[in-house]
Amino acid sequence: MVLVTGGTGLVGAHLLLHLIENGQTVRAIYRNQTNIQKTKSVFELYKKADLFDKIDWLEADILDVPSLESAFIDIEYVYHCAALISFDPKEEEALRKTNIEGTANMINFSIAKGIKKFCFISSIAALGDLAPHETYITEETDWNPEKPHSDYAISKYGAEMEVWRGLQEGLDVIIINPGVILGPIPKTKKHEQGSGEIYQRVANGLSFYTLGSTGFITINDVVKIAFELMKSDIKNERFTLIADNIVFRDLLNTIADTLKVKRPSIHAKPLFMNFLWIADLLFSTIFFQKRSITKATAKASYSTNLYSNEKIKTALGTVFLDVHQYIKDVSKL
């Protein structure tokens, strides 16, 4: 049996569907009963609602060690998708606790229960920092602790250290580092996170664009590759997963065209983005509001990071879905 954490999130829900479609027996843990509906809606979106009942749901928490005891019964393989994603400095402690301590708990149980293979869903945020002579960030790029990193990046890097500790203690592991993951376009107006938030902001008339870039990948490719790596003889490796390095303006234009709304037309230069995060900090402090933009996200918006996907293409012969075409296709779901 396969255990999936974070089964009510974007990656976890799509992974559960992919596993069941490929004949796997799966167990998913949840913290809140109402969140299971999110996963059910994913199955319904792809017209696979009949497969949803094949999931063995169990209430547990990666930070609650006793609850994990039942979760690991009869488990052979683990996909650890659960994580806290936030770039708000106020959530530093929660990020470290969930992403590092939670992963450590999963690793400890996996070692104790003799798990055959453990897959950790990390992030390109945990990859290294380019040296002056380098152009592309790869799996071998060194992490420079002297350079500034977001609390989220530090927490994912720390989580990876726990996974490598598991390797040293005899656990076979795989780490994947996806770029920005694009999923289906939300059908509701409620507040979304991740790619759902990007779609919503464009749909609501986003005026600004930046000329920074980063690596993007579709959710379909993430879960497909994770499954293929776990079924293969490949072990004790990490893989950068991006379909392409895309300029933010170009991605926003594709989304706007697909949604038939006006393209963002004002170039938000670095100076303006830095002004925004400072203004947002003051506003959120005065009115006790959640941060909308932070120093880390402002910097990311105009940074031009390039990532290499050559390692996974060599290992599996992966052919990635075109991100721009994917956006057009999911608009029809």
Side-chain angles (χ1 to χ4, degrees):
M1 181 179 279
V2 177
L3 175 64
V4 175
T5 70
T8 59
L10 175 66
V11 176
H14 282 79
L15 178 60
L16 286 169
L17 176 57
H18 190 77
L19 290 170
I20 293 171
E21 286 182 312
N22 283 275
Q24 302 294 296
T25 303
V26 297
R27 175 178 296 143
I29 63 174
Y30 69 93
R31 290 184 302 163
N32 189 325
Q33 180 78 35
T34 59
N35 287 339
I36 295 178
Q37 182 58 42
K38 296 179 183 178
T39 304
K40 188 174 183 179
S41 66
V42 168
F43 280 61
E44 292 170 344
L45 178 66
Y46 296 102
K47 298 178 172 55
K48 300 292 179 64
D50 58 307
L51 299 180
F52 178 77
D53 291 334
K54 294 189 176 183
I55 302 171
D56 175 23
W57 288 101
L58 180 71
E59 185 175 4
D61 189 330
I62 61 174
L63 294 176
D64 180 19
V65 173
S67 71
L68 292 176
E69 190 69 46
S70 298
F72 272 84
I73 295 175
D74 297 326
I75 296 298
E76 295 180 296
Y77 299 91
V78 174
Y79 291 85
H80 181 36
C81 308
L84 175 61
I85 302 175
S86 174
F87 295 93
D88 189 337
K90 294 179 181 178
E91 297 197 78
E92 176 186 2
E93 183 178 349
L95 280 164
R96 292 174 183 258
K97 188 170 184 64
T98 299
N99 296 347
I100 300 177
E101 183 182 324
T103 300
N105 290 339
M106 292 299 297
I107 289 294
N108 292 340
F109 267 96
S110 295
I111 295 169
K113 301 298 182 181
I115 295 302
K116 293 180 178 179
K117 206 169 182 180
F118 183 101
C119 178
F120 176 55
I121 314 300
S122 186
S123 166
I124 56 171
L127 294 174
D129 305 283
L130 286 176
H133 65 282
E134 296 174 320
T135 302
Y136 285 88
I137 298 173
T138 73
E139 295 81 359
E140 305 304 320
T141 304
D142 291 330
W143 174 278
N144 185 349
E146 300 301 319
K147 289 196 173 184
H149 301 93
S150 68
D151 293 323
Y152 172 69
I154 292 170
S155 73
K156 294 299 278 188
Y157 178 79
E160 288 192 11
M161 293 304 100
E162 293 296 334
V163 178
W164 295 132
R165 173 180 64 81
L167 167 62
Q168 294 299 316
E169 296 184 35
L171 179 65
D172 286 342
V173 302
I174 284 289
I175 295 178
I176 61 173
N177 298 82
V180 178
I181 303 173
L182 294 175
I185 298 175
K187 302 296 184 183
T188 65
K189 297 294 184 179
K190 66 180 182 179
H191 178 70
E192 296 283 344
Q193 294 182 321
S195 63
E197 183 177 7
I198 299 174
Y199 293 135
Q200 280 192 347
R201 289 194 175 190
V202 175
N204 292 337
L206 181 66
S207 300
F208 300 95
Y209 68 84
T210 64
L211 295 178
S213 65
T214 192
F216 288 85
I217 185 171
T218 71
I219 185 61
N220 302 52
D221 279 337
V222 172
V223 299
K224 178 184 177 183
I225 293 169
F227 177 68
E228 289 179 355
L229 285 170
M230 287 289 275
K231 295 295 289 183
S232 74
D233 293 329
I234 299 170
K235 59 184 180 180
N236 308 332
E237 298 276 358
R238 74 198 298 221
F239 294 91
T240 303
L241 304 189
I242 66 134
D244 202 0
N245 295 289
I246 301 174
V247 175
F248 292 119
R249 178 189 60 186
D250 297 340
L251 182 83
L252 296 176
N253 285 346
T254 295
I255 295 173
D257 293 347
T258 300
L259 298 179
K260 295 180 172 54
V261 297
K262 185 179 178 180
R263 289 182 172 188
S265 58
I266 303 173
H267 180 199
K269 297 181 179 180
L271 183 62
F272 178 72
M273 295 304 297
N274 288 327
F275 166 78
L276 278 185
W277 80 257
I278 294 172
D280 183 75
L281 172 61
L282 293 173
F283 180 85
S284 64
T285 302
I286 295 171
F287 296 101
F288 304 99
Q289 299 292 316
K290 187 176 179 65
R291 297 288 298 277
S292 297
I293 181 171
T294 66
K295 184 177 181 179
T297 54
K299 182 181 178 182
S301 72
Y302 57 77
S303 298
T304 54
N305 294 318
L306 299 175
Y307 298 87
S308 171
N309 59 12
E310 289 302 315
K311 183 176 180 180
I312 191 64
K313 289 198 294 186
T314 300
L316 295 180
T318 302
V319 177
F320 290 93
L321 295 174
D322 179 85
V323 169
H324 296 285
Q325 186 60 49
Y326 170 82
I327 293 171
K328 297 173 185 176
D329 291 342
V330 294
S331 68
K332 301 172 185 176
L333 290 176

